[in-house]
Amino acid sequence: MRRLLRNKLAFAGLLMIAGLVVVALLAPLAATHDPLAQDVIHRLQPPSGAHLFGTDDLGRDVYSRIVYGTRVSLLVGVIAVGISVLVGTVLGMISGYWGRWVDTLIMRGVDIMLCFPTIFLILMVISFLEPNIANVMVIIGLTSWMGLTRLVRGECLSIREREYILGARVLGLPTSRILLVHILPNVISPVLVSATLGVGGAILTESALSFLGLGVQPPTASWGNMLAAGKDYIHMAWWLSVYPGVAILVTVLAFNLLGEGLRDLLDPRSSS
Amino acid sequence: MTGYFFRRLFLMVPLLWGITFVTFGVMQLAPGKPVDVMTDMNVKMSAESKQKLVRLYGLDKPWYVQYGLWLKRFVRLDFGRSFKDDRSVSRKILERLPATLLLNVLSLLLIFVVAIPIGVASAVRQNSFFDKGMTVFVFIGFSIPTVWLALLMMIAFGLKLGWLPISGLRSLNYDELSWFGRMADVARHLVLPVTVSAFTGLAGLSRYMRNGLLEVIRQDYVRTARAKGLPESTVIYRHALRNALIPVVTLLGLYLPELIGGSFIFETIFAYPGMGRLGFEAIMARDYPVVMGVGVIAALLTLLGNFLADVAYGYVDPRIRHSK
């Protein structure tokens, strides 16, 4: 932990994430207006003292909507990555530890999934189901586990050959115990790096989906669906496009900084 | 080389089968039959003609029969007819494919032409002001929401400055233009979509190139080249860069699905008449045959890209083609 604080990149990222979490938790205090309150008379107002980032096409306060949007983005990012980490780690460990045909099967499955442009697969599935925040989280999670599976499998393959694993097997420990107690702790650090970077990716995917109208649905404020409104009023209200994008950029940047910082810490070989 | 080529080719077969299976599986998630959408709009449609439609597309058969039928036609690249306008799906895709290929090939070119010099310059002057600036650029490139970048560029270059058109591929007066005018017109329409779809890859590749070259510079043969007194430029460009470029070939396979995936988004934003927008519109309209056709073609393009990247990798690096 102390080393984490000494790495400037990671520290900056961590600080930004902490700030975002505080904003998300205290959204009612941080917001100046009700994010859903419409005020059609004051629609499409440019940024001013009363409305920090202006108002949208229904007269809602853009700043307050961005504040509440923090909740959506963080939630989607963390839960989607949680799902992909779970699937990726389990499949990767099975694949790497058992080997043989199970390994072949899982690895070919990964190859097949990687042939699809992820965004198209997600769009397809989402359009069949109801586009809402829960489905978005699950589907992003279920279409982003492939990289992690390969990563965990690779780690498992090398750990499997170590002497302490052989020792554990000679002692007659059950496979489940070997996997959980002896292998899992050793694959955690690369998974942690990959997951942190993955949160940023998931947030970007959510914003793209919501932008296309297949993600979080209005009136709930999500940075992506705010951008969609921005496109509709691109000729007259630049502030609708600019501010939500800055929010996404800052949030994703925070997770990427933390992820890269963690990588430098946990894997000195790749330090750049 | 021939053996390696065919080994790679053979490896694609199970993947191809998997692709058709996954696409078909996803389609089965669809709630409500597509005939509902078609017939709900049309009051003149009787229950009887609805039945006919179901039978025509085999929608009343169990999924494995539907899959079998679909696979049989797939071999002949016949994806059936669009639910929307009853036109052949492969024809609809074929009309849109050149525009999408144009967009993606140009983006790929832009990525490689711009990112490689940036990466080399960063590595040669490691920790310089330029290198640090590029590191910041890379972080932003990875973190920027590309839909937002698209909007910003539309606002800046399209609306405020008025330099570039923000949608479509041709102007309204396209037909009246000379040959040269037409080329220039298309090129102007391509600037924004190509730049936006290349952006993330640009950041990624310049980083990759920089780190790859730094790795190679630490190798013994580079030290040897320096030790025998070769000028620094010969050491970098003749000895180090050539070796650092080898793994870059494989990135081609990595960027392709990313770019094609991006086409679905950027073609929709820029109202670009390509396959991505066709696919997106088909998804919104539940036009199943078109969705499946586009999905399969997109995956095939990716597969082909990976294959070409593998072959090229084997070609430039003998260690790859001779190992099992």
Side-chain angles (χ1 to χ4, degrees), chain B residues 161-192:
Chain B
L161 297 171
W163 290 350
L164 295 164
I166 60 172
S167 72
L169 187 55
R170 294 168 179 182
S171 302
L172 289 173
N173 62 348
Y174 181 80
D175 290 327
E176 299 152 23
L177 295 171
S178 64
W179 182 85
F180 184 76
R182 287 181 181 187
M183 288 297 118
D185 187 50
V186 169
R188 273 161 47 84
H189 280 86
L190 278 166
V191 174
L192 289 181

Side-chain angles (χ1 to χ4, degrees), chain A residues 115 119-120 127-128 241-242 245 256, chain B residues 31 143 148 261 264 283 295 302-303:
Chain A
C115 276
I119 196 80
F120 184 70
S127 68
F128 295 152
S241 300
V242 171
N256 284 348
Chain B
S143 311
W148 182 60
F264 289 97
I283 282 173
T302 311
L303 203 59

